[in-house]
């Protein structure tokens, strides 16, 4: 059973940048974010095989389907076509090269297979924008777009009869007596055949190759059969695999993957959501396909997230709870030929999964064991005690190997995977995770499964929902996971979620380094444990696991109800079943290993009474034997005597699956015991008799200046002293001969070591390089030997120091590995060496004398580059990197005037094969004095402006001199907003290619895929704190970190508010008083008053010659008569009566008025007496001491008597002559001038005004009126 690493291609190493944006969309490779693609591929795997093999990995589980997914589907679990490989991961030739290389190293490859779930191309009628409820009669299905599945089709024709599969899952509840508490318990019996519970409603079905019953959520409580017929989480279409014709297609297409790629196994995703019998039929035929190309032990593990009882239906031929074997001993004796058919749910040969992939029962038990709180366990499930749980698996699971026909427990046990949190992310998580790794690697019989980065103590979490917490940081160098490394969402599925480093990762520069560090202490511990599995066969293939003794006590955590957490020391034996297993031909043969460990976070010495069997620390070895720890610090003990002999002990195991023998060395000997035992926090030991102890192989414990260290220099070449530390004494000259220096430099030079500088010494230190936030694990392997030498001729670039296979000075063991380290050297403006500080340069872009553009490269160490002159709207091809300048070709761009930008800007992206990353970018402007910018604009879109559709509100951010984008934001709180680099597109819709929000609330802007169910916004829930009323949004486009800075003092706002409240009242009062003063002054001055002084000086007024202009326009002019104080009027000649003659020879003022609302009292004509009309009435009644000339229009529907007719006016409007009739009517001191024309008659008594002010009719009306 090999040690397997679980790795997602996109999150590993980028070995080929040309496939990063294979689909050419804006949502693929994202340098600044964590939610799209990083760019890893199968070439990156192949470039890293030395690293993987060097830690003892013998199998790689490539997580995520190799088949084509959506462009942004980095996790690769939603394939769109079973015949096409995803180009983001590589070509068929690159896949074949990787797998051939792995096979040549004795390694195996397992790929993910989603089998029954695909992409998201199908919708249900009436529910395209919402979840679809479960319907027994199924829904009408339709394609969401023109994209369809080429090999499978939907169907909406109803068939009256369908042959439904057998459903397994949630079954009956049983009442049983729990002897431990002497009370009855009610337990759900899982893993039984479902009859009823809704399935009785199935009769007919649609003639479709997909299930069309509706959706279920990713998380929630549903009967298992509902999950097996429903679209998963509304985003993955489900094939009807229980239909034989559909299953035959799947089998054929999956068989092509085996023959095409030469893979060694399929891991089945969401295994329990496939109907059990269909999965077994599929597995049976897939094994036949694999056997046809020589793969007779093709491995098919399945993802089993439920409890053991339900999962057991899928393992082997399947067992329900009533079919369990009496105990573990009898279970391991069974073979394919001796098995009883009545104890299985399927016929002989119909073997489903070989095992569980990452056994979630064990994972849940580890969470309880390591002190997490809450309702962790699945009910019903195996016992919480890990040893008891394993023995329960032996009795309840069918472990018979489909190829060999004998029992072969191959459950894959892990402590982390791509769907759960990283242990080092929480407080004390590194040491807890290290203990958990000891359990899954050495304690539990099966396959240890580790996730990429576990050996480097990854702790950054990058999920965007609190109910689905995981960490998927790439192992190759990048800055995005550090930028987004301060996690804030918490864990809603875990009660009393601990604090830990996950909140502070953004301040840890370690996160931006490459993490293929061969000297990391966790990697060395894991490599040592993997080696122990090869040296001591019982740790690899021994199926016997027995608890010998315990020193424990229970605690009850607040949210765990009545489920205790058992703390303390366990003494466990790992061995083989004599009579069923013989491992004597391998390594140390059948040698038993004694495992002692505890789950307390303190350094503790346990005391025992060796004369009391109930309180003794029992070992599997006899008294007087000297035992030694296989793991550092290699403690030695001499076993004390106990009263009983080894063969007289009853089994300690409390589960139903009991073994019949303790299988110890010599049952006739007195049992060995220790009266005290010390363990560090979360510590462990693996002990064997001294004569069976083997010195572990040496490992590299430290590299100076540090793996992937960045060295700043302005000199063209420097000398770099290096040190390499080993865990054992080495031969100095042999170390020197094993070194290879490989330089990726701009000038093409190669660095080399100076043999004269070599120095070696024996040391005893444990000072490896780790993240300061996680610290070091228990059992760190220290340095025993130091080798030092100078590397000379070090030019700017990347320099690899490759340590070959080395044998210790004693000559007994060797490293059995190739260890590549590297460091980077360059100036501060080199984006390869300093990707964060050098992401903008004012000396990057220049004009050629011929008018073309060129860039002055500064990225020594790069292998390829590409550029964009239109802000990543398009890119050049990837080009070989060469020293010096590179001429740029123009690139097209189209957009609105608002989207256009000023100046010339370039983005240059670099890739290095050694670093396995293309996350290096440098930007620059043609103007050396330009403000540093990484985006052309930043617009604010949110609820306040309908996310950009309301263009009338301010939404444009401005850059200050430091390059920070700022916007003063005041709206109704709470609110949401997002930043958009392009704003509104020419079609009037918001651009989606560069939209930034903060769904994980970490203060750093994110991008999401265009189909994400999350709303990518910044959620502002808090009002601005007192005394402020608004926020200033400040965004740094270099780091995408933003702040909401309170602005706008409430005091000032209150002052403005009160001014706005009282100023209108005050000014209105002043206006009224002024008007009253002016009004009464006129009323009291019945004989006129002296002329007020003009604003203009008197000597200027005559020079204006107003009479000339007024006369030309035939406009009466009122002026003083010479030598008189009264006013006269100069006009054209009228008919016989002078209607303008003042009614009195006394001095009176003549006033000209023109209104469209009026009241002619003696004619009884009132035209819309509104506000202006009322004023007109008041003026007519109260200005009797004035002579009024009142110009009015004649409206339609009113007969106006004609008193006096004047000469009509002829006016030209828009080139057309129009005639306006003029009549006079005199009433007391008022002379009405009535203007009559069709344009005026078009209005009515109630609506004398034109309806609009912006059309031709109103223009003509007002032109005639003004004339």
């Amino acid at each position: 059973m090999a040690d397997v690493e679980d790795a997602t291609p996109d999150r590993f190493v980028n070995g080929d940048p040309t496939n990063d944006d294979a689909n050419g969309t804006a949502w693929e490779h994202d340098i600044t974010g964590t939610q799209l693609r990083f760019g890893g591929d199968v070439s990156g795997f192949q470039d890293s095989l030395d690293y993987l093999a060097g830690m003892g990995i013998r199998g790689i589980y490539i997580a995520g389907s190799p088949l084509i997914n959506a462009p942004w589907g980095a996790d690769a679990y939603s394939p769109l076509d079973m015949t096409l490989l995803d180009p983001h991961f590589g070509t068929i030739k690159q896949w074949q090269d990787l797998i051939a290389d792995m096979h040549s190293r004795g390694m195996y490859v397992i790929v993910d297979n989603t089998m029954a779930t695909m992409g998201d191309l199908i919708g249900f009628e009436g529910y395209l924008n919402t979840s679809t409820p479960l319907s027994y009669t199924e829904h009408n299905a339709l394609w969401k777009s023109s994209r369809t599945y080429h090999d499978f089709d939907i169907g909406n024709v109803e068939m009256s009869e369908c042959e439904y599969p057998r459903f397994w899952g949630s079954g009956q509840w049983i009442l049983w007596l729990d002897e431990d508490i002497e009370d009855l318990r009610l337990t759900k019996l899982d893993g039984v055949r479902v009859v009823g519970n809704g399935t009785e409603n199935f009769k007919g079905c649609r003639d479709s190759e997909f299930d069309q019953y509706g959706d279920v959520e990713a998380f929630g409580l549903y009967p298992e059969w509902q999950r097996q017929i429903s679209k998963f989480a509304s985003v993955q279409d489900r094939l009807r695999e229980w239909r034989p014709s559909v299953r035959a297609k799947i089998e054929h297409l999956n068989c092509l993957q085996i023959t095409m790629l030469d893979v060694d196994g399929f891991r089945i995703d969401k295994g329990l959501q496939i109907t059990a019998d269909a999965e077994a039929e599929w597995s049976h035929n897939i094994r036949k396909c694999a056997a046809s190309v020589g793969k007779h032990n093709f491995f098919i593990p399945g993802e089993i997230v439920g409890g053991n009882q339900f999962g057991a239906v899928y393992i082997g031929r399947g067992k329900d709870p009533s079919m369990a074997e009496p105990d573990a001993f009898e279970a391991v004796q069974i073979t394919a030929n001796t098995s009883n058919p009545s104890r299985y749910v399927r016929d002989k040969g119909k073997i489903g999964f070989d095992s569980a992939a990452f056994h979630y029962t064990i994972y849940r038990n580890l969470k309880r064991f390591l002190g997490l709180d809450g309702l962790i366990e699945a009910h019903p499930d195996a016992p919480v005690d890990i040893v008891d749980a394993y023995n329960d698996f032996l009795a309840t699971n069918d472990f018979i190997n489909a190829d060999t026909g004998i029992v072969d427990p191959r459950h894959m046990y892990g402590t982390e995977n791509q769907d759960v949190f990283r242990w080092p992310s929480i407080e004390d998580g590194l040491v807890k995770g290290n203990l958990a790794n000891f359990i899954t690697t050495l304690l539990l019989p099966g396959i240890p499964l580790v996730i990429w980065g576990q050996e480097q103590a990854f702790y950054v979490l990058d999920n965007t929902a609190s109910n689905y917490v995981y960490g998927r940081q790439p192992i190759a160098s990048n800055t995005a996971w550090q930028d987004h490394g301060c996690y804030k969402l918490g864990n809603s599925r875990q009660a009393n979620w601990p604090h830990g480093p996950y909140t502070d990762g953004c301040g840890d520069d370690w996160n931006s380094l490459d993490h293929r560090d061969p000297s990391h202490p966790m990697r060395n511990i894991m490599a040592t444990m993997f080696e122990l599995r090869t040296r001591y066969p019982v740790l690899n293939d021994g199926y016997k696991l027995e608890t010998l003794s315990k020193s424990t006590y229970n605690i009850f955590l607040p949210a765990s109800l009545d489920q205790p957490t058992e703390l303390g020391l366990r003494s466990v034996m790992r061995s083989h079943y004599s009579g069923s297993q013989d491992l004597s031909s391998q390594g140390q043969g059948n040698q038993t290993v004694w495992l002692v460990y505890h789950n307390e976070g303190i350094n503790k010495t346990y005391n025992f009474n060796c004369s009391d069997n109930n309180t003794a620390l029992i070992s599997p070895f006899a008294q007087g034997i000297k035992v030694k720890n296989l793991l550092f610090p290699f403690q030695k003990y001499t076993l004390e005597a106990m009263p009983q002999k080894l063969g007289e002990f009853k089994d300690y195991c409390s589960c139903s699956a009991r073994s019949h023998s303790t299988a110890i060395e010599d049952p006739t000997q007195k049992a060995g015991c220790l009266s005290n035992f010390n363990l560090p926090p979360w510590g462990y030991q693996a002990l064997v008799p001294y004569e069976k102890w083997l010195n572990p192989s040496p490992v590299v414990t430290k590299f100076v200046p540090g793996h992937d260290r960045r060295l700043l220099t302005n000199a063209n070449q420097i000398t770099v002293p290096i040190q390499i530390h080993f865990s054992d004494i080495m031969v100095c000259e042999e170390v020197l001969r094993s070194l290879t220096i490989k330089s990726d430099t701009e000038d093409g030079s190669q660095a080399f070591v100076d043999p004269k500088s070599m120095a070696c010494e024996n040391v005893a230190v444990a000072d490896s390089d780790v993240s300061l936030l996680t610290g070091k694990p228990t059992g760190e392997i220290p340095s025993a030997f130091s080798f030092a030498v100078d590397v000379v001729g070090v030019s700017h670039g990347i320099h690899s120091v490759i340590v070959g296979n080395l044998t210790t000075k004693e000559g007994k063991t060797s490293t059995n590995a190739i260890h590549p380290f590297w460091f980077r050297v360059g100036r501060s403006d080199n984006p390869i060496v300093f990707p964060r500080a050098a992401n903008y340069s004012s000396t990057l872009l220049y004009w050629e004398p011929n008018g073309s553009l060129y860039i002055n490269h500064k990225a020594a160490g790069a292998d390829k580059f590409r550029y964009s002159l239109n802000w990543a709207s398009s890119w050049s091809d990837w080009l070989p990197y060469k020293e010096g300048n590179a001429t740029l070709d123009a690139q097209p761009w189209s957009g609105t005037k608002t989207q256009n930008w000023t100046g010339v800007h370039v983005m240059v992206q670099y890739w290095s094969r050694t670093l396995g990353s293309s996350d290096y970018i440098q930007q620059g402007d043609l103007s050396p004095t330009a403000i540093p910018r990484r985006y052309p604009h930043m617009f604010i879109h949110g609820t306040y402006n309908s996310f950009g559709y309301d263009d009338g509100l301010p939404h444009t951010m401005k850059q200050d001199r430091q390059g920070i984008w700022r916007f003063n934001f005041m709206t109704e709180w709470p609110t949401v907003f997002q930043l958009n680099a392009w704003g509104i597109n020419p079609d009037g819709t918001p651009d989606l290619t560069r939209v930034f929000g903060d769904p994980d609330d970490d203060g750093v802007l994110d991008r999401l895929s265009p189909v994400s169910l999350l709303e990518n916004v910044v959620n502002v829930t808090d009002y601005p704190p007192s005394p402020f009323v608004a926020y200033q949004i400040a965004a740094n486009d270099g780091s995408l970190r933003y702040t909401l800075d309170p602005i706008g003092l409430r005091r000032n706002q209150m002052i403005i508010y009160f001014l706005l409240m009282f100023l209108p009242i005050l000014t209105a009062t002043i206006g009224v008083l002024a008007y009253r003063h002016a009004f009464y002054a006129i009323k009291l001055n019945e004989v006129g008053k002296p002329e007020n002084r003009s604003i203009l000086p008197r000597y200027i007024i005559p020079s204006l010659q107003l009479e000339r202009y007024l006369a030309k326009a035939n406009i009466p002019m009122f002026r003083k008569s010479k030598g008189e104080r009264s006013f006269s009027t100069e006009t054209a000649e009228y008919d016989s009566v002078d209607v303008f003659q003042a009614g009195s020879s006394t001095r009176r003022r003549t006033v000209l008025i023109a209104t469209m609302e009026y009241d002619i009292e003696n004619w009884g004509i009132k035209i819309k007496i509104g506000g202006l009309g009322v004023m007109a009435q008041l003026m007519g009644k109260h200005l009797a001491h004035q002579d009024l000339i009142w110009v009015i229009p004649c409206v339609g529907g009113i007969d106006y008597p004609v008193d006096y007719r004047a000469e009509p006016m002829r006016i030209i409007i828009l080139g057309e002559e129009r005639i306006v009739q003029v009549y006079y009517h005199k009433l007391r001191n008022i002379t009405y001038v009535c203007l009559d024309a069709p344009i005026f008659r078009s209005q009515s008594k109630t609506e004398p005004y034109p309806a609009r002010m912006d059309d031709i009719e109103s223009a003509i009306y007002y032109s005639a009126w003004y004339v």
Side-chain angles (χ1 to χ4, degrees), residues 369-370 427-436 438 522 525 567-569 596-606 632-633 635 677-685 776-780:
F369 174 76
L370 295 174
E427 186 177 10
D428 293 330
L430 180 60
V431 289
K432 290 181 178 180
N434 187 31
L435 172 57
F438 166 83
M522 269 303 299
I525 292 173
L567 300 180
L569 178 144
V596 184
Y597 56 97
H598 82 143
N599 59 336
E600 296 195 73
I602 57 174
N603 188 307
K604 186 171 181 177
T605 298
Y606 293 85
F632 182 83
Q635 297 95 329
F677 202 90
N678 177 264
L679 287 170
W682 313 99
Y684 52 82
Q685 294 186 29
K776 298 180 180 181
T778 299
E780 176 189 4

Side-chain angles (χ1 to χ4, degrees), residues 264-286:
D264 304 300
F266 282 139
R267 178 261 189 189
I268 306 304
D269 185 53
K270 293 185 281 293
L272 300 187
Q273 294 183 28
I274 305 168
T275 54
D277 292 338
E279 192 285 321
E281 287 288 345
W282 174 88
S283 293
H284 175 73
N285 290 316
I286 288 299

Side-chain angles (χ1 to χ4, degrees), residues 864-1069:
K864 291 183 178 181
F865 80 99
R866 66 174 184 170
Y867 62 87
S868 174
L869 292 168
N870 51 27
W871 302 95
S873 295
S874 62
W875 289 90
S876 70
D877 292 335
W878 282 96
L879 305 169
Y881 179 84
K882 297 180 180 178
E883 180 182 6
N885 301 333
T887 302
L888 310 182
D889 295 329
Q891 294 174 333
W893 179 86
S894 62
T896 67
K897 182 178 179 181
T898 303
Q899 290 176 323
N900 203 355
W901 62 93
T902 59
V904 182
H905 185 89
V906 69
M907 303 170 67
V908 188
Q909 184 180 358
Y910 299 97
W911 170 77
S912 162
R913 176 175 292 279
T914 299
L915 301 180
S917 175
S918 62
D919 278 23
Y920 308 101
I921 195 164
Q922 190 170 66
Q923 303 192 48
D925 288 277
L926 192 59
S927 171
T929 61
I931 298 174
R933 54 179 178 169
R934 284 89 175 174
Y935 297 94
H937 321 278
M938 278 295 179
F939 301 101
I940 298 293
H941 289 176
T943 52
Y944 87 104
N945 66 350
S946 299
F947 285 91
Y949 284 102
D950 187 349
D951 196 43
L953 294 173
H955 63 284
T956 304
M957 302 187 78
K958 302 294 184 183
Q959 272 189 302
D960 62 18
R961 293 303 303 174
Q962 287 71 43
I964 303 299
W965 296 87
R966 298 186 182 276
F967 181 80
N968 294 337
F969 189 42
M970 183 173 181
T971 185
E972 295 182 4
W973 316 106
T975 190
V976 297
F977 70 87
Q978 57 188 200
L979 275 63
N980 191 316
W982 288 111
I984 301 298
N985 282 329
D987 63 0
T989 61
D991 184 86
L992 300 179
T993 60
R994 290 293 183 274
V995 175
F996 299 90
D998 189 16
D1000 53 0
D1001 198 30
D1002 64 350
V1004 182
L1005 296 169
D1006 296 277
R1007 293 177 62 217
L1008 300 179
S1009 80
V1011 299
S1012 173
L1013 299 181
L1014 287 174
E1015 189 177 19
N1016 192 20
V1017 296
V1018 176
N1019 195 347
V1020 186
T1021 57
D1022 295 329
Y1023 293 80
S1026 179
F1028 303 101
V1029 294
Y1031 288 109
Q1032 182 180 80
I1033 305 170
N1036 184 328
D1037 63 6
S1039 65
L1040 292 184
R1041 188 165 294 279
Y1042 72 94
T1043 58
L1044 299 177
D1045 303 319
I1047 58 171
L1049 292 176
R1050 295 182 183 179
R1051 177 188 60 199
N1052 295 347
Q1053 296 295 320
M1054 291 299 293
I1055 292 172
I1056 294 173
Y1057 175 80
F1058 283 114
L1059 286 176
L1060 292 176
M1061 177 185 294
F1062 294 115
L1063 274 180
I1065 300 174
L1066 180 61
T1067 55
T1069 302

